[in-house]
Amino acid sequence: GGDEFAWLVDHHMDHADVAKFGERCRSLLAKSFTYDGNVLNIYASIGVAFAPLDAGTDEDLLKAADLALYAAKEAGRDTLRCYEAELSRKSQYKHDMVNDLRKSIGSEDFFLVYQPQINFGDGDPTGFEALLRWNRPGYGLVMPLEFIPLLEETGLIVPLGAWVMERACRDAMTWPSHLTIAVNLSGIQIERSNVLSMIDGVLAKTGLAPARLEVELTESTIMKEIADVRPLLKALRDRGIRVALDDFGTGYSSLAYLSEFPFTKIKIDRSFITPICGADSTIARAIIRTITQLAHTLHLETTAEGIETLEQEEALNSMGCRHGQGYFYAKPISFEDTAIFLDAHKKAAVGREQSAPSAGRKKYAAA
Ligand code: C2E
Ligand code: MG
Ligand code: MG
């Protein structure tokens, strides 16, 4: 069907024979040909299953070959994979997980935690980032990297992402009005739904000022959905909504779209922050300096992700980065704990003010 076909080979073959056979098929297909003046290439992913080793019926044999094909595609396409029992287990695991995700939509199994974002200058929080968590019935807490790809694959990220936006904006309404709320947006939401009208609806419903909302998009989302992202970002900025480029440095890192798209902030990925105080910090430091200088020229804020030590904060500040987020300040906390965090922070700030009034709360007076 479509671009797939099955080939039944009625010979005794072992794994080595099949590998050779597959290699021949692929090299024949891979020969480029010219059509209408264009040079075209075809690549094939091949999944192989053996009878009676892997399956006892024709239906099961096709199913096993299909799982192997899926594994070949996952391994980067243009390759051959043979069926293994592990593939069935994985597929079953995924199938169960998708079922459970579906059941959890609309229930309290999903909840948000919030991680504060800090201004290095005075140490004050500027806002929080909302991060999704799933309490999978029968299993316990599951982290987003495990379930967000499945939500995206199934399209469930569309209703759930709308829920995240509303919940986060509603929660933000209880914080002091200078604090922002950052919400992660998936490319699938942009591709398969009208994100702009969803956000308009949430802002109208919750009463949150647009300037308090910050939408986070990753580089790979921007690359994949480039046609839809351009007008979306413009419309968001027209409303005064802030737009952050998340995980900067991990994707394609095209500097061109830093000036092409109307971002307000770059979030420097944790992978550059972790090494800056280690033995081999030269490259990471050079990259961070370059990013902050570029951001400064383009009038963009920079936030460093994953700060875990004071040493890292000081190094980042000396390199021109002014905001950060990480376990050093706080791990993501429950909504209830955000009030406690803000209260404790306020008391600490007042304490500092009283003990050294002339110094104010400037931590980096010379910066
Ligand atoms: P992200 O948006 O880059 O979020 C930052 C991640 O880094 C969070 O992981 C956070 O817990 C973690 N982190 C923060 N500070 C530190 C630190 O000091 N050390 C270390 N080791 N880690 C730190 P989390 O919560 O597991 O989220 C992972 C990713 O899942 C997020 O990366 C984001 O891309 C995605 N995600 C989370 N919630 C949502 C959501 O509601 N919608 C969408 N589309 N994606 C989400
Ligand atoms: Mg983020
Ligand atoms: Mg990030």
Side-chain angles (χ1 to χ4, degrees), residues 280-298:
D280 214 0
S281 63
T282 323
I283 292 177
R285 281 180 183 244
I287 291 173
I288 292 170
R289 264 199 207 95
T290 309
I291 297 175
T292 51
Q293 276 165 12
L294 193 66
H296 185 74
T297 308
L298 297 169

Side-chain angles (χ1 to χ4, degrees), residues 278-356:
D280 214 0
S281 63
T282 323
I283 292 177
R285 281 180 183 244
I287 291 173
I288 292 170
R289 264 199 207 95
T290 309
I291 297 175
T292 51
Q293 276 165 12
L294 193 66
H296 185 74
T297 308
L298 297 169
H299 305 292
L300 301 174
E301 284 173 23
T302 43
T303 294
E305 298 191 82
I307 299 178
E308 295 187 351
T309 65
L310 176 63
E311 213 187 345
Q312 287 173 339
E313 185 202 277
E314 287 170 349
L316 285 159
N317 190 60
S318 75
M319 287 183 261
C321 182
R322 296 290 172 257
H323 298 91
Q325 187 178 340
Y327 294 172
F328 174 58
Y329 311 102
K331 287 198 170 178
I333 52 179
S334 69
F335 168 62
E336 290 72 29
D337 285 350
T338 57
I340 298 170
F341 174 87
L342 291 172
D343 202 41
H345 180 84
K346 208 159 119 193
K347 283 196 184 115
V350 168
R352 275 200 305 275
E353 194 88 39
Q354 282 167 351
S355 59

Side-chain angles (χ1 to χ4, degrees), residues 116-297:
Q117 302 184 318
I118 304 293
N119 177 350
F120 295 158
D122 48 21
D124 286 341
T126 57
F128 291 91
E129 176 175 6
L131 295 160
L132 188 58
R133 295 291 180 266
W134 180 32
N135 209 340
R136 184 178 178 189
Y139 287 80
L141 188 66
V142 189
M143 298 302 273
L145 294 182
E146 266 185 79
F147 65 84
I148 290 209
L150 282 181
L151 289 174
E152 292 182 329
E153 211 178 303
T154 52
L156 291 171
I157 193 74
V158 170
L160 197 61
W163 175 83
V164 168
M165 184 64 70
E166 182 168 342
R167 180 83 234 189
C169 291
R170 206 176 282 291
D171 286 350
M173 285 296 285
T174 67
W175 303 329
S177 63
H178 65 283
L179 294 179
T180 56
I181 174 70
V183 180
N184 293 285
L185 212 58
S186 151
I188 303 296
Q189 287 173 272
I190 300 173
E191 188 186 307
R192 301 204 198 159
S193 68
N194 189 337
V195 169
L196 194 61
S197 73
M198 181 271 282
I199 292 178
D200 281 342
V202 166
L203 293 179
K205 217 160 146 185
T206 60
L208 189 83
R212 293 185 63 193
L213 176 62
E214 184 167 86
V215 167
E216 293 195 6
L217 293 164
T218 63
E219 286 180 275
S220 45
T221 296
I222 287 162
M223 289 302 289
K224 258 190 262 157
E225 315 298 335
I226 204 149
D228 296 331
V229 160
R230 222 179 273 274
L232 173 67
L233 294 199
K234 186 178 179 308
L236 291 174
R237 293 294 299 124
D238 286 347
R239 286 159 173 72
I241 296 168
R242 303 159 54 85
V243 182
L245 179 55
D246 203 355
D247 301 348
F248 186 70
T250 57
Y252 302 84
S253 300
S254 161
L255 299 179
Y257 55 63
L258 277 187
S259 57
E260 263 174 53
F261 293 99
F263 298 114
T264 36
K265 178 193 266 189
I266 300 175
K267 295 188 80 177
I268 310 173
D269 191 68
R270 180 163 64 89
S271 53
F272 299 106
I273 312 306
T274 310
I276 56 170
C277 294
D280 214 0
S281 63
T282 323
I283 292 177
R285 281 180 183 244
I287 291 173
I288 292 170
R289 264 199 207 95
T290 309
I291 297 175
T292 51
Q293 276 165 12
L294 193 66
H296 185 74
T297 308

Side-chain angles (χ1 to χ4, degrees), residues 25-69:
C25 297
R26 286 201 303 120
S27 62
L28 283 172
L29 282 169
K31 281 200 180 119
S32 34
F33 60 95
T34 310
Y35 179 79
D36 211 10
N38 297 307
V39 180
L40 301 177
N41 291 294
I42 292 182
Y43 299 100
S45 304
I46 304 176
V48 180
F50 294 85
L53 184 71
D54 299 329
T57 66
D58 50 358
E59 199 184 324
D60 284 351
L61 185 61
L62 270 178
K63 226 186 253 170
D66 207 36
L67 283 175
L69 173 64

Side-chain angles (χ1 to χ4, degrees), residues 2-21:
D3 58 352
E4 281 181 16
F5 60 89
W7 205 333
L8 189 67
V9 184
D10 188 13
H11 285 295
H12 178 80
M13 280 187 166
D14 61 15
H15 279 76
D17 298 330
V18 159
K20 250 189 262 164
F21 181 72

Side-chain angles (χ1 to χ4, degrees), residues 74-142:
E74 266 203 331
R77 298 172 189 266
D78 192 23
T79 182
L80 178 145
R81 282 285 181 277
C82 290
Y83 172 82
E84 298 160 54
E86 177 65 16
L87 294 178
S88 284
R89 270 195 295 275
K90 265 197 205 151
S91 148
Q92 188 61 45
Y93 179 78
K94 192 171 153 183
H95 181 260
D96 293 347
M97 190 129 146
V98 169
N99 264 346
D100 286 355
L101 281 168
R102 259 183 232 288
K103 280 190 231 151
S104 285
I105 301 268
S107 81
E108 289 187 358
D109 297 341
F110 286 108
F111 61 98
L112 294 180
V113 287
Y114 294 96
Q115 190 176 36
Q117 302 184 318
I118 304 293
N119 177 350
F120 295 158
D122 48 21
D124 286 341
T126 57
F128 291 91
E129 176 175 6
L131 295 160
L132 188 58
R133 295 291 180 266
W134 180 32
N135 209 340
R136 184 178 178 189
Y139 287 80
L141 188 66
V142 189

